[in-house]
């Protein structure tokens, strides 16, 4: 007799364990690890995943119930994914079922889109007679079908259901009686809408060639140490990735290419299609489940060999993964914001370990984590310090905004920036102006009493849109603009417009002839907003592209010869320990946008902190000097990557409950002696302590050992399990850094 350990498919803490069932003899063939099965559960029936199979019963065999059957329309997951899910649960905190749901991108089989064509199986005369008969028997729907078919001959089934209000049963009855025919044609959702050109590869330059040779030779020897290619933007990393992919696929294995969604541009994707053709597929978060499902099936069946996408592409069910590329490795989007809050980099390394694949990461500004590991020999480090194609590094000016004020310049553009903009507009070259999203806000406050208008549901200020409505970016709350201060009644209640809108107005004032495209959360609402603006700019329909950080990433506009960073500082003041890293990264990436073509580029960085180390090093694109300063700060403060950090977020709609539980959690972990050298900080209010009427408290744990932190997490989880009733309104989330 065989027994299956099944995880019941409900996301509930209480059920987060396996339950044993008998595998009936007739199901032994079809039930394996990963099969989705129907099972009796309590008084009802549910579905679940088989996660283990054994010969040993956990109870008296006659008390174990048999599996009902294989769940209909289910897709089995492979054993490896189950192991990965367990690994994610252990390392990031999650229920097994949530982890499983993460690694199984599409749970249910989605039917292929089928087109059903309906036609008459009898003559028109017969149909007319039958229609009369139907009417007399009050089968009006059937009569409508027949009348329509007499008129049109044939029609799509959806025409009857959508237009004639005919139910499926009427069509079924007619077809069963042999009066109509229903023919099905499958329309397979297509993965590639592009005609692949199979263009020849660039001949790698000597630097690229030596990196590629070295990685390939390690790969062939079976040395799967992860690699980090630190290469400035435009240094030709993508060409190396493609060379590696070509090698791996030639050897019969598959490749996953992770690219942050924001950088997943048409240009990038086309480079892969053009080189590899039909075996390339792309997923992104806008795809429907059906479309994703098709692409994963094609991957499983071997029709796709290369999958490109954001972090969830990691879970492509390839049979024999050889290579995982992580481009723009430093991107924060690689960490999931949903439970389990896995990091794609760590998860990729684990998946590669399980499958014997190689991970190759690339970035111009590696995360401190990755660079630290590379420096400590955990990853192999490669460097590309020159631009591969045309294009030189731009000249960078740092402008001290305090000096501008002294000169009486109150505009958003410094003298230097104005001068360069004027020059580029005259030459017909393009300009990108970049505003840190948090640089300016459209919030309003009272000039007399200082009151800031906040969202009633969140601890954030409302921002003004189109001069009319105040909106909350966190929960979507909206209201009419305020004319009188609700606190003191003053009329001097002012608006600070959103930075991008303000900059647009100034542009119009100083450069009335310039055509400007604005890209921010407001102008990119629609499905295509984002792509449309970028395409227009690429087609040179505008002189200036003005936007928030979304314009900084990954786009390659060869005619941009001037980049202006209007205010570099704001991200320096955030409470996050990575503030300097984020600022350095943004400035470096922004500077990297200039001068990618033939014409030399200029960058102007405007700041109130011209001496800040992240600004200074970014202006020189000097990553290593930045790294040295930053890592000594992290060492001093015990921050990652020198130590590991676990953030515990306790949330509840009742502030007192969140307070009580967070104190208890901090207390039990402080008193427990077995957790080694852990520093516990908090509890304290989260940076935004109320969102959508839910209160948030934070506790931070720092320790050199990740394992110790994972133990603390288990300990807290066990405590919560034992006190479920009391804190049933609270949610506790773990976040590892
Ligand atoms: P990265 O990925 O590091 O930003 P890319 O691979 O996108 O760099 O290369 C930047 C530009 O240089 C691209 O337009 C690319 O086609 C070109 N390029 C890269 N390598 C070569 C090469 N060996 N010969 C000619 N052009 C190259
Ligand atoms: Zn006031
Ligand atoms: Zn709100």
């Amino acid at each position: 007799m065989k027994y299956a350990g099944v995880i019941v498919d409900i996301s509930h803490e209480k059920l987060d364990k396996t339950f044993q069932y008998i595998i009936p003899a007739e199901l032994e063939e079809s039930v394996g690890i990963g099969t989705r099965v129907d099972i009796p559960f309590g008084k009802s029936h549910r579905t679940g995943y088989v996660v283990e199979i054994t010969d040993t019963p956990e109870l008296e065999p006659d008390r174990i119930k048999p599996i009902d059957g294989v769940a209909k329309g289910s897709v089995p997951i492979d054993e490896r994914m189950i192991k990965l899910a367990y690994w994610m649960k252990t390392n990031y905190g999650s229920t097994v079922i949530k982890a499983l749901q993460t690694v199984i991108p599409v749970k249910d089989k989605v039917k292929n889109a089928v087109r059903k064509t309906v036609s008459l199986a009898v003559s028109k005369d017969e149909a007319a007679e039958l229609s009369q008969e139907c009417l007399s028997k009050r089968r009006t729907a059937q009569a409508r079908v027949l009348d329509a078919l007499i008129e049109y001959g044939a029609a799509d089934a959806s025409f009857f259901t959508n237009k004639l209000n005919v139910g499926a049963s009427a069509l079924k009855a007619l077809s069963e009686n042999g009066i109509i025919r229903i023919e099905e044609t499958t329309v397979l959702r297509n993965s590639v809408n592009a005609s692949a050109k199979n263009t020849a590869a660039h001949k790698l330059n000597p630097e690229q060639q030596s990196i590629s040779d070295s990685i390939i030779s390690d790969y062939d020897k079976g040395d799967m140490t992860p690699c980090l290619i630190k290469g400035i933007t435009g240094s030709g990393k993508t060409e190396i990735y493609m060379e590696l992919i070509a090698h791996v696929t030639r050897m019969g294995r598959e490749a996953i290419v992770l690219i942050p969604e924001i950088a997943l541009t048409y240009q990038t994707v086309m480079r892969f299609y053009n080189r590899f053709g039909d075996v390339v597929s792309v997923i992104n978060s806008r795809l429907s489940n059906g479309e994703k499902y098709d692409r994963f099936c094609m991957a499983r069946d071997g029709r796709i060999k290369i999958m490109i996408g954001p972090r969830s592409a990691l879970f492509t069910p390839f049979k024999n993964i050889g290579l995982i590329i992580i481009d723009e490795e430093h991107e924060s989007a690689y960490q999931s914001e949903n439970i389990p809050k896995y990091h794609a980099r760590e998860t990729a390394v684990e998946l590669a370990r399980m499958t014997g694949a190689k991970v190759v990461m690339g970035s111009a500004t590696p995360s401190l984590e990755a660079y630290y590991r590379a420096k400590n020999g955990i990853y192999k480090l490669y460097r590309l310090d020159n631009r591969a194609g045309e294009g030189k590094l731009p000249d960078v000016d740092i402008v001290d905004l305090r000096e501008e004020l002294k000169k009486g310049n109150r505009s958003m553009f410094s003298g230097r920036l104005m001068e360069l903009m004027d020059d580029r507009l005259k030459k017909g070259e393009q300009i990108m102006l970049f505003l840190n999203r948090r640089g300016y806000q459209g919030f309003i406050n009272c000039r007399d009493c200082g009151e800031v208008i906040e969202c009633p549901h969140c601890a954030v200020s409302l921002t003004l849109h189109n001069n009319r409505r105040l909106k909350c970016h966190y929960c979507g709350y909206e209201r009419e603009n305020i004319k009188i201060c609700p606190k003191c009644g003053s009329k001097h209640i002012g608006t600070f417009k959103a930075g991008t809108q303000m900059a647009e107005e100034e542009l119009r004032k100083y450069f009335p002839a310039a055509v400007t495209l604005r890209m921010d959360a407001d102008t990119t609402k629609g499905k295509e907003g984002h792509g449309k603006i970028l395409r227009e700019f690429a087609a040179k329909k505008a002189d200036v592209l003005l936007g928030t950080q979304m314009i900084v990433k990954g786009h390659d506009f060869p005619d941009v010869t001037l980049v202006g960073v209007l205010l570099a500082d704001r991200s320096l003041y955030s409470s996050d320990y990575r503030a300097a890293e984020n600022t350095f990264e943004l400035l470096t990436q922004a500077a990297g946008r200039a001068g990618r073509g033939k014409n030399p580029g200029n960058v102007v960085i405007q700041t109130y902190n011209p001496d800040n180390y992240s600004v200074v090093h970014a202006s020189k694109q000097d990553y290593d000097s930045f790294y040295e300063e930053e890592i000594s700060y992290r060492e001093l403060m015990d921050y990652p990557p020198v130590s590991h950090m676990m953030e515990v977020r306790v949330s509840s709609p009742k502030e007192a409950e969140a307070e009580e539980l967070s104190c208890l959690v901090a207390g039990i972990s402080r008193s427990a002696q077995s957790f080694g050298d852990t520093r516990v900080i908090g509890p304290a209010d989260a940076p935004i302590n109320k969102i959508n009427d839910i209160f948030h408290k934070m506790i931070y744990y720092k320790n050199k050992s990740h394992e110790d932190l994972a133990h603390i997490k288990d300990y807290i989880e066990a405590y919560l399990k034992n006190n479920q009733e009391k804190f049933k309104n609270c949610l506790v989330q773990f976040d590892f850094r």
Side-chain angles (χ1 to χ4, degrees), residues 60-102:
E60 310 282 299
D62 55 342
R63 288 178 55 205
I64 304 180
K65 293 177 190 162
I67 287 173
D68 294 333
V70 175
K72 263 223 183 103
S74 66
V75 186
I77 37 177
D78 71 45
E79 192 168 348
R80 206 180 50 193
M81 286 301 174
I82 291 175
K83 289 208 180 109
L84 192 64
Y86 272 94
W87 179 86
M88 283 162 69
K89 173 199 151 66
T90 316
N91 282 278
Y92 297 104
S94 162
T95 60
V96 174
I97 202 79
K98 276 217 174 104
L100 280 173
Q101 285 165 347
T102 307

Side-chain angles (χ1 to χ4, degrees), residues 202-205 208 231-241 271 327 384 388-390 556 596:
H202 281 298
K203 185 168 173 1
L204 297 187
N205 66 33
Q208 289 170 315
I232 57 171
T233 24
S235 59
K237 296 184 292 297
T238 308
E239 293 295 323
I240 299 179
Y241 303 153
R271 280 173 79 181
D327 193 28
L384 274 177
E390 295 172 304
D556 196 352
R596 302 202 56 155

Side-chain angles (χ1 to χ4, degrees), residues 446-460:
C446 175
R447 303 275 152 87
D448 287 328
C449 78
E451 171 83 350
V452 174
I453 308 302
E454 290 201 340
C455 174
H457 308 288
C458 310
V460 296

Side-chain angles (χ1 to χ4, degrees), residues 266-393:
Y266 180 75
Q267 298 155 336
T268 312
V269 170
M270 283 314 289
R271 280 173 79 181
F272 285 89
Y273 281 147
N274 287 339
R275 172 93 178 249
F276 298 105
D278 262 359
V279 295
V280 175
S281 188
V282 177
I283 56 166
N284 61 54
S285 62
R286 285 186 305 272
L287 290 183
S288 70
N289 277 352
E291 288 168 319
K292 263 194 199 154
Y293 177 82
D294 287 345
R295 287 174 204 192
F296 279 115
C297 279
M298 290 169 84
R300 199 199 342 254
D301 302 346
R303 281 180 290 166
I304 287 171
K305 305 275 183 213
I306 302 163
M307 182 63 92
I308 305 175
R311 57 170 192 262
S312 62
L314 210 46
F315 308 118
T316 307
F318 281 134
K319 293 233 165 69
N320 192 5
I321 305 173
L323 178 67
I324 305 173
I325 303 281
I326 310 178
D327 193 28
E328 312 280 350
E329 162 282 325
H330 59 275
E331 267 297 319
S332 59
Y334 281 130
Q335 178 148 36
S336 170
E337 58 276 10
N338 305 316
I339 294 174
K341 295 191 172 183
Y342 69 97
H343 197 295
R345 187 196 323 115
E346 317 302 325
T347 311
V349 169
E350 175 63 16
L351 179 64
R353 197 190 58 72
M354 286 164 46
T355 53
K358 193 154 188 92
V359 174
V360 176
M361 295 164 253
S363 172
T365 51
S367 65
L368 271 258
E369 278 77 8
Y371 206 59
Y372 184 73
R373 281 184 204 139
K375 290 225 146 182
N376 287 291
I378 300 167
Y379 299 163
K380 278 203 179 173
L381 181 62
Y382 296 96
R383 317 176 64 109
L384 274 177
D385 293 323
N386 299 304
R387 284 201 168 169
E390 295 172 304
K392 292 199 194 70
L393 285 178

Side-chain angles (χ1 to χ4, degrees), residues 445-452 484-493:
N445 79 342
C446 175
R447 303 275 152 87
D448 287 328
C449 78
E451 171 83 350
V452 174
I484 289 174
C485 173
K487 196 166 162 206
C488 74
S490 161
K491 280 187 207 154
H492 301 278
I493 186 151

Side-chain angles (χ1 to χ4, degrees), residues 575-578 637-640 644-650 662 665-666 669-670 677-688 696-703 709 712 716 733-737:
S575 57
D576 193 325
Y577 69 89
R578 287 162 304 184
M637 301 297 292
D638 260 339
Y639 276 129
H644 290 276
M645 191 155 100
M646 175 172 77
E647 299 180 7
V648 180
R649 176 182 290 262
V650 179
S662 61
V665 166
S669 33
R670 273 204 181 90
D677 218 0
T678 305
R679 279 168 72 176
V680 186
I681 299 146
D685 279 348
I688 298 172
H696 300 270
K697 306 277 171 191
M698 306 293 298
I699 310 160
Y700 301 91
Y701 297 81
K702 295 190 232 175
N703 191 314
L709 292 180
I712 298 179
I716 296 172
Q733 284 174 279
F734 300 90
D735 212 336
F736 285 87
R737 301 283 175 198

